[in-house]
Amino acid sequence: MKIRKVFLIALIFCSSFAVAQESKVEYQKFVKKFIDNIKSDNKEALGDWVVYPLKRDYPLPDVANKTDFVKRYAEIFDATLRNEIIKSTPAKGWNDMGLRGIMLNHGSIWLDIDGRLTAVNYQSKAETELRNKLIASQKKSLDPSIAFFQTPICILETSEFKIRIDNLGNNNYRYASWSIKKK
């Protein structure tokens, strides 16, 4: 009886291991296609495989659609990120994270289980500069009482209020709200 249980457990363990290896081979096809499109700067093909909107670090605007992606491609995929992707191989650098998808290195790029681009957690120098300009612009336009913050988290609007959440640094966050009718 004990031998049967041990054999059954070993069989279950081995079958789940075999399934995991099959998915690894499957995701390598997607990754290879992604790497090839980056190598050839095939923005159009990459744009077809993006899950929109592609989120960017606030206050940078999200990439809304394929046209926007093609326009901002060089801004998002700068030489540093492109080299990181090009130097990788489907077997080296990319990790299958199960239902969460496939990630490059420590999550700088995420593809879903169908091979579609879901996240770029890398910020190029151009995006960093643009983000800093947008933050500086926000600080100038705000009332001096709330114009000090490290980074903005989000701005929300309801039917009656404008809500702003900012990171003040050292794990301190500020919630500010005012009437939608006022500046």
Side-chain angles (χ1 to χ4, degrees), residues 11 13 18-19 24 33 36 38 54 59 79 83 148 151 167 169 176:
L11 184 64
F13 177 74
V19 170
K24 191 170 189 173
K33 192 180 292 185
D36 290 343
I38 292 290
L54 184 62
N83 286 334
F148 62 94
T151 55
N167 180 354

Side-chain angles (χ1 to χ4, degrees), residues 53-65 68-69 71-72 75-76 123 126-127 130-131 134-135 138:
L54 184 62
K55 300 287 184 191
R56 303 310 299 141
D57 199 13
Y58 183 81
L60 292 172
D62 294 338
V63 179
N65 52 40
D68 195 19
F69 177 82
K71 184 173 123 184
R72 294 174 57 188
E75 181 183 299
I76 297 167
Q123 195 171 79
E127 279 190 315
L130 176 59
R131 184 171 185 266
L134 292 171
I135 291 170
Q138 282 185 5

Side-chain angles (χ1 to χ4, degrees), residues 31-43 45-46 69 73 76-79 81-88 94 104 109 117 120:
V31 171
K32 180 165 179 10
K33 192 180 292 185
F34 180 77
I35 293 169
D36 290 343
N37 283 323
I38 292 290
K39 278 182 186 175
S40 63
D41 278 332
N42 194 345
K43 305 169 203 173
L46 286 166
F69 177 82
Y73 172 81
I76 297 167
F77 292 92
D78 67 352
L81 182 58
R82 287 184 71 251
N83 286 334
E84 181 181 352
I85 295 167
I86 291 168
K87 288 178 182 176
S88 71
W94 292 86
L104 174 62
I109 301 286
L117 179 65
V120 178

